[in-house]
Amino acid sequence: MDFLTLENALWLVLAVIIFLIIKELFNKPPPPRPAAARPVKEPIKQREFTPEELLAYDGKDPDRKGILVALNGNVYDLTPNAKMYTAGSYAVFLGHDISYCLAKMSLKPEDLDKPIDGLTASELDTMYEWQAKYEIQYEKWGKLVKGS
């Protein structure tokens, strides 16, 4: 009895092809699940902050929402990176205008809240680069205005 005839070989090839097609049809990965709906965050109503008001947002009061800094006249909420800012050397920034510090790449407390009038063009560029990063990474809460 000869099983390996041309006709049997063709039927075998056809059976293998049909098997592979059926396997492909029924072996598809499940469709992706829809992403869970994120709660819609209410936008912050922007307001003006005086330097004195800004000091209250230094992260030390657990009842106060927001850890804020000012940079080039804008006030940003650093709460999403609270761990990075509340511990270590960056904690000095919280509740202050940090424009001069970032322009000079300084962590010195005496450089906080300084005007940026005397900065060089290169230092101003550095500050603007930081501001561009803050615009992307942090929510703007308002403007810094002169105090009383």
Side-chain angles (χ1 to χ4, degrees), residues 7-120:
E7 185 179 353
N8 286 346
L10 288 174
W11 278 110
L12 181 63
V13 169
L14 184 61
V16 169
I17 291 172
I18 291 172
F19 171 78
L20 292 174
I21 290 172
I22 291 172
K23 181 182 172 191
E24 185 65 28
L25 287 174
F26 290 103
N27 201 19
K28 287 186 178 179
R33 292 183 178 176
R38 291 184 179 174
V40 176
K41 188 176 178 185
E42 221 175 285
I44 296 296
K45 183 178 179 189
Q46 294 201 6
R47 58 171 274 221
E48 294 181 340
F49 291 86
T50 65
E52 295 80 20
E53 290 172 320
L54 190 61
L55 279 172
Y57 292 88
D58 62 0
K60 294 177 183 165
D61 182 355
D63 295 328
R64 186 168 301 276
K65 302 270 191 254
I67 299 172
L68 306 181
V69 296
L71 174 56
N72 197 24
N74 295 308
V75 175
Y76 298 96
D77 180 19
L78 307 183
T79 305
N81 280 339
K83 286 183 182 178
M84 181 176 88
Y85 283 100
T86 55
S89 52
Y90 292 121
V92 71
F93 286 167
L94 305 181
H96 291 279
D97 181 352
I98 61 172
S99 306
Y100 190 90
C101 291
L102 293 181
K104 292 278 197 176
M105 301 300 289
S106 169
L107 294 171
K108 297 176 186 172
E110 60 266 21
D111 288 336
L112 294 167
D113 305 307
K114 277 189 172 179
I116 59 173
D117 299 342
L119 294 174
T120 66

